[in-house]
Amino acid sequence: MSPLEPIRYHSTRNAGLTVQISQAIAAGLAPDGGLYVPEVLPAIDPAAFDPHGSLADTAATLLAPFFAGDALADALPAICAEAFTFDAPLRSLSSHPNTMMLELFHGPTSAFKDFGARFLAACLRRLPRTDARPLTILVATSGDTGAAVAAAFHRQPGVRVVILYPDGLVSPRQAHQLGCFGDNVSALRVAGRFDDCQRMVKAALNDASLQAELPLSSANSISLGRLLPQMSYYAHAALGWWREHGTPLNFIVPTGNLGNALACLWVREMGLPVGDVRLACNANATLPEFFQGQNYSPREAVATLANAMDVGAPSNFERLLWTWRNDDDELRHALRAESVDDDAICATVLQHARGQGEVVCPHTATALALRDRAAPREDHPWAVVATAHPAKFETVLEPLLGHPMAVPPALATMLERPAKAEAMAATDEALERWLREHARGSTGSRS
Ligand SMILES: *Cc1c(COP(=O)(O)O)cnc(C)c1O
């Protein structure tokens, strides 16, 4: 293989200022408020991949061009091996010929956020820090991200994780997961909504005097350290399918902030055998309306049964537009998006549970509903992306199904541990006061 050309990264809002991937991962957000993107998406030959390789091997080959010339380049195979210790199986669905489930919920917290959070943690562990004081990582979560980030950094020396979640608006099992880590992880249940949590985190990060007292960072989904690794399971599934069948694989992706779907699209842009991509949204219809030809109009989110997708202003839209050179019409030709409301989520869950005993989470149900609707291209092989294990959403699903669900072992272990979360008012001052009071709090070296 020829040596890889280093790729530089710049903000979606300013192509002039470039950084290396390590810097982009350490910073999360670009200084001008934009999102980091690579100056080009590298092309890659399907023949570059080992046909017998694991998911971690596929990830190391796929991501090598993105890390070429960077301080983390040599460690990339080890980072992938450390992050991807579980599989993303592509399983066929007996009810539909030509329909597969790409199961992304076999990680420690039973949702796909584990892939990105673990990869980000494995990168940050290897980056030199100039500040000897512990780093506090702030995470606002609507449910799944907080647990994945907590699990990825739990007991890591020199790092403390502070999770903010909207009290009463995550499922009871999600809340238990968030509060069960202890040690260097603190959970704060905020008397407000997800948007309040996100605003409080941003205010703390932007407060220079607070930052001077305790170094703060974030682990939100806009970090390239979470986005890039999510490309791995799409490449792995599509390459496996293509070797066996000689055709591209098409994907339906449950979508909120657009991180998971964008990863799929970038794999296609790199030249790997990904076919059609459909975005499945819940009643938050910002993206479906844009793809139907209306102007992009971000708005407040409404609450739905697929709570991790309750997003009215998808943060990765800026990266999506950049990928299509800011040409709305070209972008509208490249993919489609549809809304699935709560009634359709319930109907889809019930229909598949009764028919085949196939129980899916409410998020996965949005994608499965689109597959059921998809009269055109019936002959296409579709992979429905299963983003979380259904047992995380027992309060939605068990009343519908009329019986309890089996809990996967990793989740069961967490549910057995005691959980605790501190209540907090939904004000920026409340978080800042708490952080100052806990500036000398526990880190991974103590408990
Ligand atoms: C986060 C999440 C989504 C949405 O993913 P995005 O990358 O934000 O589009 C979908 N389903 C589940 C279960 C999630 O946790």
Side-chain angles (χ1 to χ4, degrees):
M1 227 165 69
S2 57
L4 297 166
E5 284 285 321
I7 294 182
R8 309 278 303 176
Y9 295 80
H10 59 73
S11 163
T12 42
R13 298 183 191 173
N14 176 5
L17 200 71
T18 66
V19 297
Q20 290 197 305
I21 185 73
S22 288
Q23 288 167 276
I25 288 176
L29 199 66
D32 62 2
L35 279 64
Y36 280 117
V37 284
E39 52 188 4
V40 288
L41 282 173
I44 194 161
D45 184 345
F49 294 85
D50 174 1
H52 307 291
S54 64
L55 177 61
D57 296 331
T58 300
T61 304
L62 179 76
L63 300 179
F66 291 94
F67 284 77
D70 186 77
L72 290 174
D74 289 345
L76 183 63
I79 291 170
C80 293
E82 207 172 289
F84 300 135
T85 50
F86 46 92
D87 275 336
L90 185 69
R91 187 171 59 76
S92 54
L93 201 66
S94 54
S95 55
H96 284 286
N98 268 338
T99 302
M100 273 66 59
M101 297 286 264
L102 178 62
E103 292 183 348
L104 303 182
F105 51 69
H106 296 284
T109 68
S110 308
F112 83 89
K113 304 291 199 304
D114 283 323
F115 290 99
R118 290 169 63 85
F119 186 92
L120 175 67
C123 288
L124 292 181
R125 259 198 282 284
R126 288 170 171 83
L127 289 177
R129 283 194 62 223
T130 45
D131 198 321
R133 295 170 301 169
L135 179 67
T136 299
I137 296 179
L138 298 176
V139 205
T141 185
S142 59
D144 292 324
T145 293
V149 170
F153 288 97
H154 187 211
R155 296 190 175 143
Q156 183 173 318
V159 176
R160 194 176 62 163
V161 176
V162 179
I163 304 165
L164 285 80
Y165 69 91
D167 198 4
L169 295 180
V170 306
S171 85
R173 282 188 184 154
Q174 282 179 315
H176 192 101
Q177 262 190 331
L178 294 168
C180 81
F181 288 93
D183 302 315
N184 61 330
V185 178
S186 307
L188 304 174
R189 47 187 180 88
V190 173
R193 303 193 311 168
F194 171 66
D195 293 336
D196 295 306
C197 300
Q198 209 160 23
R199 188 205 65 240
M200 291 160 71
V201 166
K202 277 196 189 145
L205 290 169
N206 289 332
D207 183 331
S209 81
L210 187 64
Q211 282 270 15
E213 277 176 56
L214 71 161
L216 296 171
S217 177
S218 72
N220 50 20
S221 67
I222 53 180
S223 167
L224 277 179
R226 286 185 50 190
L227 181 63
L228 295 177
Q230 290 172 181
M231 297 166 67
S232 311
Y233 39 79
Y234 291 110
H236 198 66
L239 285 163
W241 181 267
W242 174 77
R243 285 185 201 110
E244 205 174 317
H245 303 271
T247 57
L249 187 56
N250 309 285
F251 291 92
I252 311 176
V253 189
T255 295
N257 257 328
L258 253 173
N260 201 9
L262 186 66
C264 181
L265 290 160
W266 279 10
V267 168
R268 185 171 77 181
E269 291 303 295
M270 289 175 76
L272 296 182
V274 169
D276 288 340
V277 177
R278 298 266 167 94
L279 312 183
C281 299
N282 58 25
N284 291 282
T286 307
L287 291 169
E289 287 171 11
F290 170 81
F291 282 97
Q292 279 149 25
Q294 300 176 34
N295 286 334
Y296 179 70
S297 72
R299 67 201 70 161
E300 283 211 358
V302 298
T304 75
L305 295 176
N307 65 350
M309 291 157 52
D310 290 347
V311 177
S315 51
N316 277 297
F317 187 75
E318 221 170 298
R319 277 197 180 111
L320 187 70
L321 256 186
W322 167 86
T323 310
W324 273 271
R325 291 160 293 276
N326 298 313
D327 183 333
D328 287 15
D329 291 328
E330 238 187 90
L331 173 56
R332 288 192 182 101
H333 281 120
L335 72 159
R336 285 207 239 158
E338 280 184 56
S339 258
V340 177
D341 65 18
D342 278 356
D343 287 345
I345 288 175
C346 293
T348 303
V349 166
L350 268 181
Q351 189 200 323
H352 286 265
R354 287 193 182 136
Q356 292 76 40
E358 177 81 32
V359 178
V360 296
C361 91
H363 312 81
T364 307
T366 63
L368 201 52
L370 288 202
R371 174 64 191 89
D372 291 345
R373 274 183 204 170
R377 310 218 163 182
E378 190 61 48
D379 57 328
H380 261 44
W382 287 102
V384 170
V385 177
T387 47
H389 193 285
K392 280 186 103 164
F393 303 95
E394 82 286 5
T395 47
V396 174
L397 296 177
E398 289 182 354
L400 262 182
L401 300 170
H403 59 78
M405 279 179 293
V407 175
L411 181 56
T413 308
M414 289 191 191
L415 295 178
E416 278 162 21
R417 300 214 295 256
K420 92 170 204 276
E422 273 181 66
M424 179 172 282
T427 66
D428 300 350
E429 296 71 34
L431 176 62
E432 289 173 24
R433 200 176 323 118
W434 190 94
L435 287 169
R436 286 202 161 91
E437 280 166 11
H438 293 76
R440 284 167 219 298
S442 61
T443 70
S445 50
R446 311 177 0 193
S447 62

